[in-house]
Amino acid sequence: MNNVKKIILVSPRGFCAGVTRAIDVVLVAIKKYGAPVYVNHEIVHNKHVIEDLTDKGAIFLKNIKDAPKDRPIIFSAHGVSKKITNYARNNNETIIDATCPLVTKVHVQAKKFYELGFKIILIGHKNHPEVEGTMGQLPVKSIYLVETVKDIDNLNFNENKKIAYLTQTTLSVDDTQNIIVELRKKFPNIKSSPKRDICYATSNRQNAIKEYANKCDAFIVVGSKNSSNSNRLVEVAKNAGCLNSYLLENADSLNVRNYSSFDTIGISSGASVPEVLVENVISKFQKNYSLEIENVSLGEENVQFKLPKKVRNQ
Ligand code: SF4
């Protein structure tokens, strides 16, 4: 067994601007309105964040109908359908929308295409809250979900009709590109958003892993099982040539002995993952091995989003 391990710590990693904003919304709402505040769905997909905010006074709901009328209700970073927005408007006194502005941008574009008479194809993962929120901006039969290239066969639109596609913000850039290529073959005049819908944080984390994963014998992406962007990062690491790539919730789920035969281990984290979880994973390795840590980066991120008006300047 090799007692010396090299850790390649890859950046950009961890919190994106949309996640930072969504967590701040909950914290400021608790300060302003007192506990409890209610959140429709998990504010972001990370177990540690949810447990921490629960301790501070947030209650996360699977069904918005369980929110009491007189307490604030917060929409998660993934966004919500029109049906949920309308329900909250009729039933909740205080609504705070923590939808990431980059998800809202996709909603706005969906509505623009619809008003211009386009049939819309959304590339994304079924049952993901962001996809439900985006599809739920429009009437059924005006927006169609495509998860894989195979689904394109089921789209029976006249190719001369006005057709546009949009995507979920946290998809694999490469897989999505393959789907887009096939869509263009079937519908040569298909339109898209003026700028790519996959967000800057998703692209940056994937590009960084693509660059460095092939230098590693194993790769760890710290992130929760239900986090779309974290799961995509594991796929990217494998596709980049590091077949021993794994998603790890936190240091508790790390069995260091599983890494005994690997000399170089890459580490990154999803956009909803606090840095402390990465630090804890490294500490656990440090207790068992002598580490040489190399920090590598494909560039700085300096995106910031303003808080929604209701919780600004508190
Ligand atoms: S991953 Fe992208 S779209 Fe999702 S919250 Fe972060 S910045 Fe927004």
Side-chain angles (χ1 to χ4, degrees):
M1 187 171 88
N2 181 1
N3 272 327
V4 182
K5 302 227 172 280
K6 178 166 176 179
I7 299 283
I8 299 187
L9 200 47
V10 179
S11 289
R13 66 174 179 276
F15 278 4
C16 61
V19 164
T20 302
R21 175 180 184 266
I23 294 170
D24 285 349
V25 166
V26 178
L27 291 172
V28 178
I30 293 169
K31 196 169 144 212
K32 178 172 176 182
Y33 299 98
V37 299
Y38 289 77
V39 184
N40 180 61
H41 194 77
E42 293 185 350
I43 187 78
V44 299
H45 284 155
N46 184 267
K47 200 170 149 234
H48 176 93
V49 171
I50 297 305
E51 285 170 0
D52 184 50
L53 291 176
T54 302
D55 288 347
K56 290 180 168 131
I59 296 177
F60 297 93
L61 300 173
K62 289 203 169 105
N63 190 336
I64 194 170
K65 292 184 178 157
D66 294 331
K69 188 182 168 62
D70 59 346
R71 298 302 305 158
I73 180 77
I74 300 172
F75 297 154
S76 78
H78 314 97
V80 291
S81 64
K82 276 261 173 275
K83 201 170 147 197
I84 300 273
T85 309
N86 291 338
Y87 177 89
R89 280 189 186 140
N90 291 326
N91 292 281
N92 300 92
E93 284 168 13
T94 308
I95 303 166
I96 308 169
D97 188 359
T99 304
C100 176
L102 300 182
V103 174
T104 304
K105 189 183 80 142
V106 179
H107 291 184
V108 170
Q109 189 60 48
K111 283 181 256 180
K112 269 189 201 160
F113 278 137
Y114 175 70
E115 280 156 18
L116 291 168
F118 281 82
K119 288 262 183 214
I120 299 159
I121 295 161
L122 178 67
I123 306 172
H125 296 294
K126 198 174 175 185
N127 298 329
H128 189 280
E130 182 188 324
V131 165
E132 288 174 356
T134 302
M135 296 194 71
Q137 298 304 308
L138 302 179
V140 277
K141 301 237 162 130
S142 56
I143 183 160
Y144 296 80
L145 182 64
V146 161
E147 290 190 274
T148 63
V149 166
K150 252 180 109 196
D151 294 338
I152 298 172
D153 294 342
N154 302 328
L155 300 171
N156 297 318
F157 312 141
N158 179 333
E159 65 177 66
N160 297 318
K161 284 243 182 263
K162 289 161 98 175
I163 302 166
Y165 73 83
L166 299 165
T167 84
Q168 193 179 331
T169 57
T170 52
L171 298 179
S172 150
V173 173
D174 293 340
D175 292 351
T176 306
Q177 191 51 38
N178 293 339
I179 295 176
I180 293 168
V181 167
E182 294 307 313
L183 276 175
R184 286 199 191 285
K185 280 187 199 158
K186 185 158 176 174
F187 306 113
N189 299 322
I190 195 166
K191 296 274 185 285
S192 64
S193 297
K195 283 194 182 162
R196 196 163 63 178
D197 302 320
I198 294 179
C199 77
Y200 81 95
T202 299
S203 312
N204 289 353
R205 280 151 192 69
Q206 289 181 14
N207 287 340
I209 290 181
K210 221 189 260 182
E211 178 77 18
Y212 296 107
N214 64 356
K215 299 174 177 63
C216 304
D217 304 313
F219 203 97
I220 292 173
V221 174
V222 183
S224 285
K225 281 197 190 101
N226 60 346
S227 161
S228 170
N229 81 85
S230 303
N231 280 293
R232 302 293 80 75
L233 295 180
V234 177
E235 291 167 8
V236 168
K238 285 185 180 167
N239 290 338
C242 187
L243 296 181
N244 303 305
S245 296
Y246 310 101
L247 185 70
L248 196 74
E249 180 77 53
N250 52 34
D252 292 343
S253 23
L254 170 67
N255 182 348
V256 287
R257 271 180 298 177
N258 290 346
Y259 294 82
S260 58
S261 60
F262 303 125
D263 293 333
T264 304
I265 301 163
I267 300 181
S268 182
S269 59
S272 47
V273 177
E275 186 61 10
V276 66
L277 299 191
V278 173
E279 288 163 8
N280 292 346
V281 166
I282 294 171
S283 299
K284 194 158 178 183
F285 274 119
Q286 232 147 13
K287 285 187 189 128
N288 294 272
Y289 302 103
S290 169
L291 297 187
E292 180 202 323
I293 299 175
E294 184 187 357
N295 282 285
V296 295
S297 174
L298 269 202
E300 295 281 305
E301 287 178 344
N302 47 22
V303 179
Q304 283 183 336
F305 297 129
K306 275 189 196 159
L307 291 184
K309 277 199 187 119
K310 279 208 180 94
V311 287
R312 215 178 282 166
N313 304 324
Q314 287 304 307

